[in-house]
Amino acid sequence: MFRPTRHMLLAAALALPLALPAGLQAGPADNSLTIAMGEELPGFDGYISTSRDGVVMTRHLFDMLIYRNPETFDYEPLLATEWRRIDDLTWEFDLREGVVFHNGDAFTAEDVVWTLNTYADPATGARSQAAVSWIDRVEAVDELTVRVISKEPFPAALEFIAGSLPIHPADYAQSVGLDGFAQAPVGTGPYKLGEVRGGDFTLLRNEAYFEGGGKGTPAIDRIDVRLIPDTATRIAEIIGGSVDWTWNVPADQIPQLDRLPNVTAELGTTMRIAMILLDSVGRANENSPLADVRVRQAINHAIDREGIVAALVGGSGEVINVPCYPLQFGCDTGAGVAYEFNPDGARALLAEAGHADGITLKMGSFRDRSRAEAIQANLAAVGITLEIEMLQARASFSSWREGQIDMWYGDWGSFSIADTSASMGNFFDGGANDGARDEEVTALLAEAARIVDEDARLAAYSEAIRRATEAAYWVPMHTIVMGYAYRPGLNFAAPVDEVPRFFLASWE
Amino acid sequence: MLSFLLRRLVLSAVVISAISVITFGLSHVAIDPASGIAGDSATPQDIALIRVQYGFDRPLPAQYLSYVGQVLQGDLGRSYLTRQPVADMIASRVGVTATLAGLSILFALALSVPLGVLAALRPGSGVDRLALTIAVTGQAIPNFWAGLLLILLFGVTLGWLPISGSGTWAHFVLPTITLGSFATPALMRLVRAGMIEVLEADYIRTARAMGLSERAILFRFALRPAILPVISLTAVQLGFMLGGSVVVESVFALQGLGYLAWQSMTRADMPVIQAIVLMISLIYVVLMLLADAINAALDPRIRAAA
């Protein structure tokens, strides 16, 4: 069905040879950057503000102990200069000397100990408990040495330390309290918070930022962050020239935007995977046809994933056959059963399961209605009637977690953690995310997240992937691409982990 | 008059209570508040714990009563997400929305009164048809669409006005036109109808016969009675402006109440949504009450009928 959308309106406008204003050129002229984000942050505490936009700001205001290079994926020094494993439970970090927080406080082991111990306590209310719950305690060995001790052997420890655990100044944070800190954050990061005007705010270059860390030295003096929730408005602003950078640009807009002389637009590959979760345990419906493995396999066969990726995802989006992101540690793409597009086979499987007359299922989704409708059409062709419930992201995910829908076509960014424990581990854990409740898969994943020996971990993940795909608990769909639009002359590299790093950006 | 006002007050109180029950009920059906507070990575055990801690395991009527008790004491609760008091969040945004709604209704009046009068003077003429066209177009185009068209023309192509944000008065021009043009048609049609009716009245004919100038007839004798019903409609439209601001504020990135409502919906931040719905309904009911009172004060027939 043809439905004109706001994006089509913009597309039509873009197709006209517009007499474009020259652009304000404020960016390169005064070495500042105006970026437009779509989501208001609940605050600047990285342990509370864990949405994608929040993660981006956390990386600018704060530093972690170590840094993962977004290109090589190697760990590099940041607040820690060296680190070593002491035993299965313990990592030791030598801290950098002479680092100061934005308020002038010296950075010491005490700050690391206080920050990590505080947020590891569930009572503090860190939003992503997965990032901190593995920590048993953190101890200072001396002024510039700390030890992080996990409850159980935890192979993904460095991933979380590099990705999700910013260090706060202990004295200041205690004096202002958690809520005060979220409004007036102080970190060691390459940028410090300037003026805040509602949802808009300014980041100023930290002139005292230390040298020799993985983040390098920031080049841009000032970053003005503007909150513009509407995608079409963000695109209009970038064309109009008063915004220098934005993201979440729909894939179908990228080629047209890129043709404009004052805009560079590109699609970046991301770690985010899209998938359809199937409620095989029957939370939404006691007599769910999805309890039958043949029905789940039929759904896998019925969906033309290649076609959806080619027509509706675009860019470097790829079909995936496994319930994890292929570059994550442990994500053995060879271990999974791949279901090829085969509507006849799907119909046969449904008939065999006693559903020759067809079934009706309810699927929730949020990001892209056209993709959800493509799936609806694919399933209709084999006799499955799909009711679609489109909601906002969080409400949609909640309706899956609360067992109100048979299927959820969503996506997952793994908190940008390059380990299968952050993808598959999050959905087969026996918790609210888990619609399969396969104890064997859960046990295999729990074991893989605990053992330190890499080969044994890989073997456990491969076995979990084999079992989960044989039982067709998911329809693994595709990777998600991220659309970026920015001013030509800005040196910016689209990051695979969906965390743009403006401290690496510069004007030509 | 007093008994009329009392009856209206009681009715308003009933409406407000009904709204509070509905918003409370809906927000507890739409999402499990315990999982909302617990966040995305919570285990079922965490959620169960929060359910008990916050009292979500109690029967809904009991929860509703304690909610009403808090609201009456001015405590609107805390946001699930930012942990800030909802009252503070609303207070910091209400200014932008009030400015937008006020400017929009002024814009709508400035456009609809003269156009309505002109159309009434010559029914069926070119001016009347033009006014009708404006009315139909303004009513038919959705806010977000009109907003984007204006952005494309004045922001992108001509570059005359800022596209989004709320930094200067210029930032309010496009949102005001967008929102105001939605209120214009109804007001204009009412002015037109009122004027036509009044101009046919006997006393106008008498005035003409006495040789008064057309200008004096129009402005001193016709417009004032014709514009009375417009006052109450303006109050109603001002209420619509508050509702319409959800879309317009999002399109133009104005950080007011409407935007806060939209953002809270995307995050399932129920205490904030609940408070905003309640507040906008309250304003709406007060405006209606005010309009009724003004009308009743001006027209004894309304007092008698009520």
Side-chain angles (χ1 to χ4, degrees):
Chain A
M1 191 184 75
F2 177 80
R3 193 175 331 90
T5 66
R6 289 182 281 164
H7 297 149
M8 284 185 204
L9 172 70
L10 267 180
L14 293 180
L16 299 169
L18 291 175
L20 289 165
L24 298 176
Q25 295 301 318
D30 65 355
N31 195 25
S32 74
L33 181 70
T34 303
I35 67 174
M37 309 287 269
E39 197 194 309
E40 182 169 6
L41 301 182
F44 295 96
D45 180 333
Y47 293 92
I48 309 289
S49 185
T50 53
S51 69
R52 182 61 45 176
D53 293 8
V55 170
V56 173
M57 290 311 144
T58 299
R59 302 269 177 108
H60 288 79
L61 293 168
F62 300 93
D63 288 318
M64 324 290 170
L65 289 177
I66 56 176
Y67 180 71
R68 201 188 58 206
N69 186 305
E71 279 167 25
T72 63
F73 272 58
D74 290 336
Y75 294 123
E76 292 174 3
L78 199 58
L79 284 177
T81 49
E82 280 179 54
W83 53 97
R84 63 198 69 84
R85 189 195 287 284
I86 302 291
D87 57 45
D88 275 4
L89 298 177
T90 311
W91 280 96
E92 186 177 82
F93 298 86
D94 298 340
L95 304 182
R96 187 180 297 275
E97 221 180 320
V99 175
V100 289
F101 285 98
H102 299 152
N103 66 350
D105 288 0
F107 161 75
T108 68
E110 192 47 44
D111 300 305
V112 182
V113 169
W114 181 83
T115 305
L116 298 185
N117 281 335
T118 300
Y119 286 97
D121 179 354
T124 310
R127 224 175 146 68
S128 163
Q129 284 292 320
V132 290
S133 62
W134 56 276
I135 298 173
D136 180 53
R137 62 189 190 280
V138 181
E139 295 168 349
V141 177
D142 59 43
E143 183 88 331
L144 288 173
T145 313
V146 290
R147 285 184 176 182
V148 178
I149 298 138
S150 54
K151 292 171 182 159
E152 292 173 338
F154 188 66
L158 285 188
E159 267 302 300
F160 282 102
I161 287 172
S164 307
L165 306 180
I167 304 302
H168 298 177
D171 290 341
Y172 172 77
Q174 288 175 88
S175 71
V176 294
L178 279 181
D179 294 343
F181 190 81
Q183 301 309 315
V186 165
T188 58
Y191 285 88
K192 56 187 172 185
L193 187 63
E195 194 195 348
V196 180
R197 305 163 300 274
D200 298 351
F201 54 92
T202 300
L203 299 179
L204 300 168
R205 182 163 70 172
N206 176 6
E207 300 297 342
Y209 194 62
F210 59 84
E211 286 176 12
K215 289 182 180 175
T217 315
I220 288 172
D221 287 337
R222 197 184 79 237
I223 303 174
D224 289 309
V225 184
R226 291 205 41 210
L227 172 65
I228 304 177
D230 192 89
T231 304
T233 310
R234 281 202 303 275
I235 295 173
E237 284 280 20
I238 200 119
I239 301 170
S242 41
V243 161
D244 300 317
W245 181 97
T246 193
W247 64 345
N248 283 306
V249 179
D252 60 333
Q253 303 286 297
I254 294 291
Q256 286 156 323
L257 276 173
D258 198 41
R259 276 200 290 275
L260 297 175
N262 67 335
V263 180
T264 300
E266 61 175 331
L267 283 173
T269 309
T270 74
M271 277 179 72
R272 187 170 291 273
I273 56 170
M275 68 289 191
I276 303 172
L277 307 182
L278 304 175
D279 179 34
S280 50
V281 79
R283 294 188 294 182
N285 169 8
E286 264 180 59
N287 307 308
S288 177
L290 294 174
D292 190 325
V293 64
R294 290 168 298 192
V295 175
R296 301 196 299 267
Q297 288 170 337
I299 292 173
N300 268 276
H301 279 304
I303 297 174
D304 179 11
R305 297 177 299 160
E306 299 283 352
I308 289 172
V309 167
L312 299 172
V313 178
S316 51
E318 285 168 23
V319 169
I320 54 167
N321 292 308
V322 283
C324 45
Y325 177 67
L327 290 183
Q328 285 178 319
F329 181 87
C331 189
D332 180 357
T333 51
V337 181
Y339 294 89
E340 84 277 4
F341 176 50
N342 178 2
D344 294 332
R347 270 187 289 269
L349 278 164
L350 281 173
E352 206 184 305
H355 298 298
D357 297 339
I359 50 176
T360 299
L361 295 167
K362 186 171 174 188
M363 180 174 86
S365 191
F366 62 94
R367 194 179 291 273
D368 188 319
R369 181 179 280 275
S370 57
R371 293 204 311 255
E373 285 177 349
I375 289 166
Q376 190 180 36
N378 281 161
L379 293 183
V382 301
I384 299 174
T385 308
L386 197 63
E387 293 166 5
I388 297 178
E389 177 192 76
M390 294 298 289
L391 293 174
Q392 292 291 340
R394 199 147 169 246
S396 181
F397 191 32
S398 291
S399 69
W400 164 257
R401 287 164 53 87
E402 290 165 21
Q404 295 169 2
I405 45 179
D406 301 305
M407 300 161 63
W408 185 60
Y409 181 23
D411 50 58
W412 187 249
S414 297
F415 312 114
S416 298
I417 300 288
D419 192 282
T420 301
S421 61
S423 54
M424 213 180 160
N426 234 284
F427 284 91
F428 289 92
D429 59 353
N433 291 346
D434 186 353
R437 308 290 165 109
D438 183 319
E439 285 173 13
E440 197 171 325
V441 174
T442 306
L444 279 164
L445 290 169
E447 185 196 339
R450 240 186 353 254
I451 40 185
V452 174
D453 179 70
E454 291 202 347
D455 292 335
R457 288 193 78 203
L458 284 175
Y461 278 129
S462 299
E463 179 58 14
I465 290 167
R466 189 190 61 75
R467 262 197 73 94
T469 51
E470 255 175 20
Y473 291 127
W474 286 21
V475 186
M477 289 293 295
H478 48 81
T479 56
I480 296 265
V481 291
M482 170 59 85
Y484 299 91
Y486 49 93
R487 196 75 47 236
L490 181 71
N491 294 311
F492 171 77
V496 120
D497 59 2
E498 281 179 273
V499 184
R501 291 157 172 85
F502 299 110
F503 46 79
L504 299 180
S506 61
W507 290 106
E508 263 165 23
Chain B
M1 183 71 192
L2 195 66
S3 74
F4 168 81
L5 274 184
L6 273 176
R7 268 192 311 240
R8 283 291 150 141
L9 266 177
V10 171
L11 200 63
S12 302
V14 172
V15 169
I16 289 289
S17 319
I19 290 168
S20 72
V21 170
I22 293 171
T23 47
F24 183 85
L26 282 181
S27 60
H28 279 70
V29 172
I31 187 172
D32 175 5
S35 73
I37 293 175
D40 292 340
S41 58
T43 64
Q45 289 80 5
D46 295 344
I47 295 172
L49 191 68
I50 285 175
R51 190 166 291 131
V52 176
Q53 276 176 352
Y54 282 73
F56 295 135
D57 54 338
R58 294 178 301 156
L60 267 187
Q63 291 187 50
Y64 172 74
L65 284 182
S66 54
Y67 163 71
V68 169
Q70 281 176 348
V71 169
L72 287 178
Q73 290 169 35
D75 177 8
L76 295 172
R78 277 171 185 267
S79 154
Y80 287 164
L81 213 65
T82 67
R83 301 183 190 179
Q84 283 177 288
V86 173
D88 291 0
M89 294 170 77
I90 289 180
S92 68
R93 322 256 174 161
V94 79
V96 171
T97 304
T99 308
L100 178 61
L103 286 174
S104 301
I105 207 76
L106 286 179
F107 171 81
L109 285 172
L111 203 63
S112 56
V113 173
L115 268 178
V117 171
L118 279 175
L121 283 178
R122 291 185 183 75
S125 69
V127 178
D128 191 20
R129 281 171 199 286
L130 179 73
L132 182 69
T133 309
I134 292 175
V136 171
T137 317
Q139 198 85 72
I141 298 184
N143 274 340
F144 67 84
W145 180 273
L148 280 173
L149 287 175
L150 290 172
I151 284 178
L152 280 175
L153 180 62
F154 293 105
V156 176
T157 308
L158 298 173
W160 290 352
L161 288 165
I163 293 168
S164 65
S166 57
T168 65
W169 65 269
H171 285 92
F172 280 93
V173 174
L174 295 181
T176 297
I177 296 174
T178 309
L179 196 52
S181 62
F182 191 71
T184 305
L187 288 171
M188 188 177 71
R189 300 307 285 172
L190 200 62
V191 172
R192 178 184 179 275
M195 278 304 275
I196 288 178
E197 198 187 320
V198 172
L199 286 173
E200 283 167 359
D202 291 344
Y203 75 94
I204 296 291
R205 196 183 47 198
T206 312
R208 283 216 175 93
M210 288 170 68
L212 287 175
S213 74
E214 197 64 17
R215 174 186 296 245
I217 292 173
L218 208 58
F219 292 104
R220 279 185 39 210
F221 300 107
L223 190 56
R224 275 166 72 177
I227 216 146
L228 273 185
V230 175
I231 295 173
S232 60
L233 185 68
T234 302
V236 176
Q237 291 288 346
L238 193 57
F240 277 134
M241 298 292 94
L242 293 172
S245 65
V246 173
V247 175
V248 172
E249 285 182 6
S250 298
V251 169
F252 290 98
L254 293 170
Q255 290 158 26
L257 269 192
Y259 167 69
L260 181 65
W262 184 86
Q263 185 81 273
S264 304
M265 283 176 223
T266 66
R267 297 160 159 181
D269 198 347
M270 285 304 165
V272 183
I273 300 173
Q274 231 167 305
I276 293 176
V277 172
L278 199 62
M279 199 180 117
I280 291 186
S281 329
L282 192 67
I283 294 175
Y284 202 86
V285 167
V286 169
L287 286 172
M288 295 290 274
L289 190 66
L290 218 62
D292 283 350
I294 293 174
N295 275 345
L298 294 172
D299 189 341
R301 284 170 301 180
I302 296 177
R303 285 199 298 267

